[in-house]
Amino acid sequence: MSLRELFRRDGEGPSLYRRAWSKTDDPLVAEARSQTLAIQRLEVWLRLAYSALAGAALLTYWGFAGDGSTTFGVVGVLVAALSFACVVVLRTGIAHGRRNVMAMLDELEQRKDERSP
């Protein structure tokens, strides 16, 4: 049994970490929510890429300056370059995604201001 199933009440509604998305919500709200969840997933991948970058730095140091062979140093440099490329792509995607969500929220706020008397 997963945590999601454990905290659900009789198959209804949300689990502890997410509110149920009602069918009456504005489609823009649903899109902002789904993009926010996607950004959170990308942040997990970003942390993994940072960890790989740190591990590659240690491997590079061990290969070139420590007791390891030069092969480990070269592998460390290659992994570091790949990890750095992933970090750049993920940070750019997260930044653009956040900007997009903020634009959606600004649009929703403008709609709300137009409807209120």
Side-chain angles (χ1 to χ4, degrees):
M1 175 181 277
S2 70
L3 285 175
R4 180 179 287 181
E5 293 168 0
L6 182 66
F7 291 110
R8 237 173 242 243
R9 288 183 229 134
D10 302 326
E12 73 173 47
S15 61
L16 287 178
Y17 60 90
R18 185 188 328 183
R19 144 177 125 67
W21 298 0
S22 67
K23 294 182 173 123
T24 60
D25 276 348
D26 188 336
L28 197 56
V29 172
E31 181 63 25
R33 283 187 191 129
S34 65
Q35 285 194 19
T36 301
L37 290 173
I39 289 170
Q40 289 173 352
R41 287 187 202 105
L42 286 176
E43 287 173 344
V44 170
W45 283 102
L46 181 64
R47 284 192 302 270
L48 290 173
Y50 276 131
S51 298
L53 186 59
L58 291 174
L59 186 63
T60 302
Y61 177 78
W62 181 64
F64 289 133
D67 295 335
S69 67
T70 307
T71 306
F72 287 115
V74 171
V75 169
V77 168
L78 293 175
V79 171
L82 182 65
S83 299
F84 183 74
C86 289
V87 164
V88 168
V89 168
L90 287 169
R91 283 189 57 97
T92 303
I94 289 170
H96 287 286
R98 283 183 180 154
R99 207 173 319 142
N100 193 24
V101 169
M102 291 306 293
M104 286 183 212
L105 294 178
D106 289 342
E107 174 68 26
L108 285 168
E109 215 170 286
Q110 288 175 358
R111 287 185 194 175
K112 180 183 165 191
D113 291 341
E114 289 172 0
R115 281 186 262 167
S116 64

